[in-house]
């Protein structure tokens, strides 16, 4: 597509966003061109603001605008239950369940020897410091149910269990409304292992 240099630059920048290909970038660019100036400036301002004011929480490594995030700063949360996740983006889905009322610790990734990511590249040392200085009864390992997430969970469980803290893992298995015939062997196996007595 031949476009004015400013439009071409916008398209190139939009395509750098995850999951945005040329067609999506073009739709967004033309939406920005056709929207009113205030809407476009509000979007630009929001991007600048988030880049200038958001950083990692000094306690859990979630995103925060203060020294600690809103969850760590909420004294009504159960400080004795710590949910370990790989990335800050893993927290909102758990929060939306309205079931978990503890606090979090963000690792900043998952162990991946193939990509050269080891324990020193994650916030594992900070997790162990928290466990030694805070009164934590249970650690919920909420890493993704893939090879890297399972490896990370197993590694953390080996480190945490000797501390006398209960270590749990998110259950995994069949989704509600799923059909057995479409379940893969690993998912079905997990569902059988985590079966509940009625």
């Amino acid at each position: 597509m031949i476009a004015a240099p400013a439009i071409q630059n916008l398209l190139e920048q939009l395509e750098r966003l995850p999951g945005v290909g040329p067609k999506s970038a073009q739709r967004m660019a033309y939406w920005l061109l056709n929207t009113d100036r205030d809407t476009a400036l509000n979007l630009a301002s929001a991007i600048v603001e988030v880049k200038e004011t958001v950083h990692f929480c000094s306690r859990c490594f979630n995103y925060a605008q203060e020294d600690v995030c809103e969850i760590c700063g909420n004294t009504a949360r159960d400080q004795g239950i710590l949910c370990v996740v790989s990335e800050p983006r893993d927290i909102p889905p758990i929060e939306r369940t309205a079931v978990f009322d503890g606090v979090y610790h963000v690792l900043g990734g998952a162990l991946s020897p193939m990509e050269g990511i080891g324990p020193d590249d994650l916030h594992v040392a900070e997790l162990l410091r928290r466990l030694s200085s805070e009164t934590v009864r249970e650690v919920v390992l909420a890493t993704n149910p893939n090879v890297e997430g399972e490896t990370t969970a197993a590694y953390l469980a080996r480190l945490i269990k000797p501390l006398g803290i209960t270590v749990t893992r998110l259950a995994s298995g069949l989704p509600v409304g799923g059909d057995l015939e479409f379940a893969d062997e690993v998912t079905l196996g997990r569902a059988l292992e985590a079966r509940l007595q009625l």
Side-chain angles (χ1 to χ4, degrees), residues 22-137:
K23 288 184 180 181
S24 294
Q26 189 174 0
R27 278 193 299 275
M28 286 187 246
Y30 285 116
W31 178 84
L32 285 166
L33 285 166
N34 291 317
T35 194
D36 62 277
R37 179 179 169 80
D38 286 343
T39 300
L41 291 177
N42 286 340
L43 175 60
S45 175
I47 293 170
V48 171
E49 180 184 14
V50 80
K51 290 304 293 178
E52 290 180 350
T53 64
V54 175
H55 56 270
F56 291 116
C57 172
S58 64
R59 183 176 180 212
C60 76
F61 302 97
N62 186 12
Y63 292 126
Q65 284 189 267
E66 304 297 327
D67 181 49
V68 295
C69 69
E70 290 183 13
I71 295 171
C72 285
N74 184 346
T75 56
R77 304 286 295 219
D78 185 346
Q79 306 293 314
I81 303 176
L82 185 66
C83 183
V84 177
V85 296
S86 296
E87 301 287 350
R89 66 175 172 253
D90 299 329
I91 294 174
I94 296 171
E95 285 296 291
R96 283 193 296 271
T97 68
V99 172
F100 182 73
D101 70 340
V103 292
Y104 295 90
H105 185 85
V106 180
L107 294 171
L111 295 174
S112 180
M114 297 292 285
E115 295 178 21
I117 301 172
D120 293 340
D121 300 307
L122 306 176
H123 298 295
V124 174
E126 293 89 343
L127 171 62
L128 295 176
R129 274 197 292 279
R130 282 184 74 181
L131 296 179
S132 65
S133 65
E134 299 177 19
T135 310
V136 176
R137 303 181 312 276

Side-chain angles (χ1 to χ4, degrees), residues 134-148:
E134 299 177 19
T135 310
V136 176
R137 303 181 312 276
E138 178 184 357
V139 172
V140 181
L141 299 175
T143 53
N144 289 323
N146 55 26
V147 174
E148 293 82 8

